[in-house]
Amino acid sequence: MDKLQAMSVFVQIAERGSLTAAAEAIGKSLPSVVRILARLEDTLQARLLNRTTRRLSLTEEGRLYLENCRRILAEIDYAEAALGQQQSTPRGLI
């Protein structure tokens, strides 16, 4: 399992409040998103979301994990942006 992808999918689910909406937003099928979430919960040995036919809600573990996922994904974006800025700066003699 690609842990970063799973974290990103989980964040999308939590922010959109729907598995279907998250699947549409990231361009994946609903069954694929459900499998990613199930594998993530299995790996963590924790239930992240309470699911009913009409609603999703975060568990306490889900809230904590969501905060950490957001922070980690933001750090990755920052690191990539910083690298991109450094590479776009001209170097050497002209």
Side-chain angles (χ1 to χ4, degrees):
M1 170 180 67
D2 180 347
K3 184 85 55 118
L4 289 176
Q5 178 191 34
M7 292 169 75
S8 181
V9 168
F10 172 65
V11 169
Q12 287 296 316
I13 293 167
E15 288 179 350
R16 298 186 186 281
S18 159
L19 293 165
T20 303
E24 290 173 3
I26 60 177
K28 291 196 175 290
S29 69
L30 178 58
S32 175
V33 168
V34 170
R35 278 192 303 273
I36 290 169
L37 177 61
R39 275 190 241 134
L40 180 61
E41 288 180 327
D42 285 344
T43 300
L44 297 172
Q45 296 183 344
R47 187 155 186 95
L48 300 174
L49 297 166
N50 289 318
R51 301 182 271 289
T52 66
T53 55
R54 296 181 184 248
R55 194 179 139 131
L56 288 177
S57 61
L58 290 167
T59 62
E60 185 59 33
E61 293 88 354
R63 275 190 215 63
L64 293 171
Y65 194 66
L66 178 61
E67 288 176 25
N68 286 307
C69 287
R70 285 179 173 154
R71 181 183 48 76
I72 290 165
L73 294 170
E75 287 290 326
I76 290 169
D77 288 344
Y78 175 79
E80 290 175 350
L83 182 61
Q85 288 176 350
Q86 189 174 15
Q87 289 178 347
S88 65
T89 304
R91 293 184 177 184
L93 299 173
I94 298 181

